[in-house]
Amino acid sequence: MGFQNLACYRKTMQMDGTVAMWCWLHFPQLALRRRLGQLSCMSRPALKLRSWPLTVLYYLLPFGALRPLSRVGWRPVSRVALYKSVPTRLLSRAWGRLNQVELPHWLRRPVYSLYIWTFGVNMKEAAVEDLHHYRNLSEFFRRKLKPQARPVCGLHSVISPSDGKILNFGQVKNCEVEQVKGVTYSLESFLGPRTYTEDLPFPPAASCDSFKNQLVTREGNELYHCVIYLAPGDYHCFHSPTDWTVSHRRHFPGSLMSVNPGMARWIKELFCHNERVVLTGDWKHGFFSLTAVGATNVGSIRIYFDRDLHTNSPRHSKGSYNDFSFVTHTNREGVPMRKGEHLGEFNLGSTIVLIFEAPKDFNFQLKTGQKIRFGEALGSL
C-alpha cells in the first residue's frame, strides 16, 4: 500500500511539474495575448502611440530579439509607416529657427568648414568666399555664385534650373511619372486637379487620358518630364529653365520626408506626399510647369516674385492646396521669365520636377544618375 501511495505521489508531482513547466512556457504568451487584446480595443491613435516604441525596438535590437512577439499575434508597424509618423514638419521648422540664429564670429569658420568637408561644397564658386561673411547657416545655404561660375547654354531650348543629380527623365506615359527607375507617381495627384478658371485654358479632366490630353494643347506634341535632386552640398537657388510665362501657382502643404534617391525608391508617390509648389504656364511649344518639392529640413521654399507664398506652416489639412493666379485684370499674361533668370531658392536641398509639352522630336541630352549644373543643357529640338 505504501508503494502505491509513493507511486501516486510521484505521478502527481510529475503532473504538477508538467503543469508548472507549461505555465512557465506559456504564461508570457498568454499575458501578451491578453495585452494585445487590450490594445486591439484602443482607438487607432492610441494604438499607434503604444505600438510605436515597441516597433522602434523591434527594428533596432540585434538578433531579432523581439521576433518571438510575432508568435502571439503582434506585428510591427512597417518601416514606411514608421518613417511617415516622424514629425518631419515640426523638425523642419525647428531646423529653420536654428538656421536663423546668428553665429559668433569665431565659430563661423569651424562650423562652415565642417559642412564644406562633409558635403563637398566648392566655395571657389561662391560670390563671397570669406566664411566670416555669412552670419548664420541660412545665409550660407543660400549663398550666391560668381557670375561666370554658371554660364547659361544658349544653343538649347531647355537648361537645367539648378545644380543636382538627374533621377529620371523622358516621356510621360499612362499619366504616370517615374520619380526614380521603376517607382512612379500619378501625374494628376502631383499637379492637382485641373479646375476651370479664367487663367487656365483647360476644363476639368474626366479621366487619366483626358487629363494628360488637356496638358498637351497642340497636336503632334508629347508630354515630357525631368527630375533633378539637389543634395545638401549643391547650390540651393533655382532658375528659369527656359523662356516662359508663369500664370498660376498651386501650393500643396504636406509632409517633409527626405527626397534622396534611396528614399524615393522606398516610398511610392513620395513627391505627392511632400509639400510642393507647382508653377504652371506656357512656353513657345505649349504647357510648361516647374515644381519645387520640399524635404526634411527644407520646409522653406521661396519664389522671388511671389510674396504671398508661405510654406511649412504649423497647421494644414491633408490633401489640401492653395491656388494663386498671376493673371489679373491689369496683367493678362502673367509673369514672364527669361532663361537663366533667378526664380527661387530652397533652404538646404530638395528636388525640382519639370513637366512640359514639346514636339515629338524633342531630345534630352542626359543620362540617368549624372551630375548636372545650372545652365547646362537638358534637351532641345
Side-chain angles (χ1 to χ4, degrees), residues 30-90:
L30 293 173
L32 283 171
R33 283 195 178 98
R34 184 168 64 251
R35 186 59 179 156
L36 290 170
Q38 295 173 359
L39 286 175
S40 64
C41 297
M42 291 183 178
S43 63
R44 185 174 295 273
L47 179 61
K48 182 183 292 186
L49 182 63
R50 299 298 291 271
S51 299
W52 194 83
L54 197 59
T55 298
V56 173
L57 291 175
Y58 180 87
Y59 289 121
L60 291 182
L61 292 179
F63 311 117
L66 296 183
R67 193 167 297 168
L69 291 177
S70 61
R71 299 175 186 172
V72 295
W74 182 79
R75 293 291 181 271
V77 177
S78 70
R79 287 182 173 88
V80 173
L82 183 64
Y83 179 67
K84 288 182 178 179
S85 66
V86 176
T88 52
R89 293 181 64 85
L90 178 62

Side-chain angles (χ1 to χ4, degrees), residues 40-229:
S40 64
C41 297
M42 291 183 178
S43 63
R44 185 174 295 273
L47 179 61
K48 182 183 292 186
L49 182 63
R50 299 298 291 271
S51 299
W52 194 83
L54 197 59
T55 298
V56 173
L57 291 175
Y58 180 87
Y59 289 121
L60 291 182
L61 292 179
F63 311 117
L66 296 183
R67 193 167 297 168
L69 291 177
S70 61
R71 299 175 186 172
V72 295
W74 182 79
R75 293 291 181 271
V77 177
S78 70
R79 287 182 173 88
V80 173
L82 183 64
Y83 179 67
K84 288 182 178 179
S85 66
V86 176
T88 52
R89 293 181 64 85
L90 178 62
L91 294 175
S92 298
R93 284 196 298 275
W95 177 254
R97 296 284 181 87
L98 180 63
N99 287 348
Q100 299 295 332
V101 175
E102 184 170 346
L103 296 176
H105 193 270
W106 62 268
L107 190 59
R108 295 175 187 177
R109 177 173 289 278
V111 169
Y112 300 147
S113 296
L114 177 62
Y115 186 91
I116 291 169
W117 177 80
T118 303
F119 296 107
V121 178
N122 184 4
M123 285 302 295
K124 292 182 179 180
E125 298 177 337
V128 180
E129 298 184 36
D130 182 14
L131 298 181
H132 293 105
H133 170 78
Y134 303 101
R135 294 173 298 176
N136 51 49
L137 287 168
S138 181
E139 287 188 1
F140 180 73
F141 294 148
R142 296 181 287 106
R143 63 193 177 277
K144 303 299 181 182
L145 297 181
K146 296 175 181 176
Q148 67 275 16
R150 296 290 187 275
V152 175
C153 178
L155 300 178
H156 295 78
S157 54
V158 183
I159 62 169
S160 176
S162 65
D163 290 7
K165 179 181 180 180
I166 301 296
L167 294 188
N168 219 303
F169 63 93
Q171 285 191 18
V172 176
K173 298 179 180 178
N174 301 322
C175 282
E176 293 286 327
V177 183
E178 285 192 324
Q179 56 191 26
V180 291
K181 185 69 174 179
V183 182
T184 63
Y185 57 91
S186 165
L187 180 64
E188 186 171 4
S189 297
F190 182 70
L191 295 178
R194 293 288 114 184
T195 55
Y196 180 77
T197 57
E198 291 182 358
D199 61 297
L200 294 177
F202 26 78
S207 67
C208 174
D209 289 338
S210 61
F211 179 83
K212 177 182 174 182
N213 291 339
Q214 295 192 38
L215 298 181
V216 180
T217 59
R218 300 182 185 181
E219 187 176 354
N221 283 0
E222 294 289 344
L223 203 61
Y224 297 87
H225 75 100
C226 183
V227 183
I228 305 171
Y229 167 68

Side-chain angles (χ1 to χ4, degrees), residues 144-147 149-163 235 237-244 288 290 304-305 336-344 354 373-378:
K144 303 299 181 182
L145 297 181
K146 296 175 181 176
R150 296 290 187 275
V152 175
C153 178
L155 300 178
H156 295 78
S157 54
V158 183
I159 62 169
S160 176
S162 65
D163 290 7
Y235 169 56
C237 297
F238 52 93
H239 301 246
S240 176
T242 191
D243 296 333
W244 65 307
F288 198 97
L290 181 148
Y304 293 138
F305 58 78
M337 297 296 300
R338 303 294 297 175
K339 184 168 64 174
E341 186 177 353
H342 279 83
L343 182 55
L354 302 179
R373 304 202 303 177
F374 155 63
E376 295 179 348
L378 285 184

Side-chain angles (χ1 to χ4, degrees), residues 247-322:
S247 59
H248 187 267
R249 180 258 291 163
R250 176 168 285 171
H251 172 217
F252 290 85
S255 302
L256 287 172
M257 294 180 283
S258 172
V259 293
N260 68 63
M263 196 64 65
R265 295 186 188 95
W266 195 26
I267 301 178
K268 181 178 174 61
E269 296 198 337
L270 171 63
F271 296 159
C272 297
H273 291 301
N274 271 16
E275 182 163 16
R276 59 197 182 278
V277 176
V278 182
L279 301 178
T280 56
D282 296 281
W283 72 315
K284 60 183 179 180
H285 297 296
F287 173 80
F288 198 97
S289 73
L290 181 148
T291 302
V293 183
T296 306
N297 298 333
V298 197
S300 176
I301 303 173
R302 182 184 175 192
I303 305 298
Y304 293 138
F305 58 78
D306 189 356
R307 296 182 179 179
D308 295 321
L309 176 64
H310 301 284
T311 58
N312 197 12
S313 56
R315 296 182 180 180
H316 75 282
S317 300
K318 186 176 181 179
S320 64
Y321 56 85
N322 305 308

